Amino acid sequence: MRLHPVYRITVFVPPARLEALKRGILAVDDLAAGGYAHGMWESAPGREQFRALPGTASAVGQARELVSEPTVRLEFCIPREVPGARERLQRLLDDGIAAHHPWNSPAVFVDAVEFAAP
C-alpha cells in the first residue's frame, strides 16, 4: 500500500436529504480517484444541534431555540496534489454541496490527509 495525498470532504446532512445531496455532488464531479468513481462513505444517523442567533434566518427553528435534528455523515475524497485540485474542491463545495444542502450554513469539513491504497 502507498499513501496518496487527498482532500477528505465531510458534510453532515439530514437523512431525508442525503440522496439529493449525493446527486448534486455527483452532478458536479464523478469523484474519480484511484481507478474508481462515485466513492462515498455514509455513517449511521446521529444528531446535530445548534441555536440560531438573533438575525439569522435559520432553515429550522427560531432564534435562541435549541434545535436537535437527525443527521448523516457523508464523506468523499479527491486527489490533492494534482493540477486543478483546489479549483475542483471549490466547485464541489459551491456547486455540489452548498447548492444542494438544506441548511444555510452546512457543517462541511475539508482535511488534507493521505489515503492508503495500492
Side-chain angles (χ1 to χ4, degrees):
M1 307 249 321
R2 292 186 19 229
L3 296 176
H4 303 271
V6 297
Y7 289 116
R8 178 180 56 194
I9 299 95
T10 304
V11 57
F12 294 87
V13 61
R17 298 298 298 270
L18 176 63
E19 292 305 316
L21 180 61
K22 287 169 56 176
R23 283 191 304 275
I25 290 167
L26 293 172
V28 171
D29 193 298
D30 68 0
L31 305 181
Y36 293 90
H38 294 218
M40 297 177 155
W41 299 270
E42 301 169 25
S43 296
R47 302 223 41 102
E48 178 175 340
Q49 90 169 29
F50 56 89
R51 185 184 312 269
L53 298 175
T56 300
S58 182
V60 176
Q62 304 297 317
R64 296 191 174 99
E65 174 188 5
L66 183 62
V67 175
S68 179
E69 294 283 325
T71 190
V72 173
R73 179 182 181 130
L74 177 66
E75 295 182 88
F76 55 92
C77 296
I78 60 170
R80 179 167 34 108
E81 294 180 359
V82 297
R86 292 287 297 186
E87 294 80 7
R88 183 181 183 189
L89 173 61
Q90 196 62 57
R91 276 192 311 276
L92 281 161
L93 294 173
D94 294 338
D95 303 332
I97 296 174
H100 299 278
H101 199 288
W103 299 141
N104 299 342
S105 299
V108 181
F109 302 90
V110 178
D111 301 300
V113 298
E114 293 181 334
F115 185 79

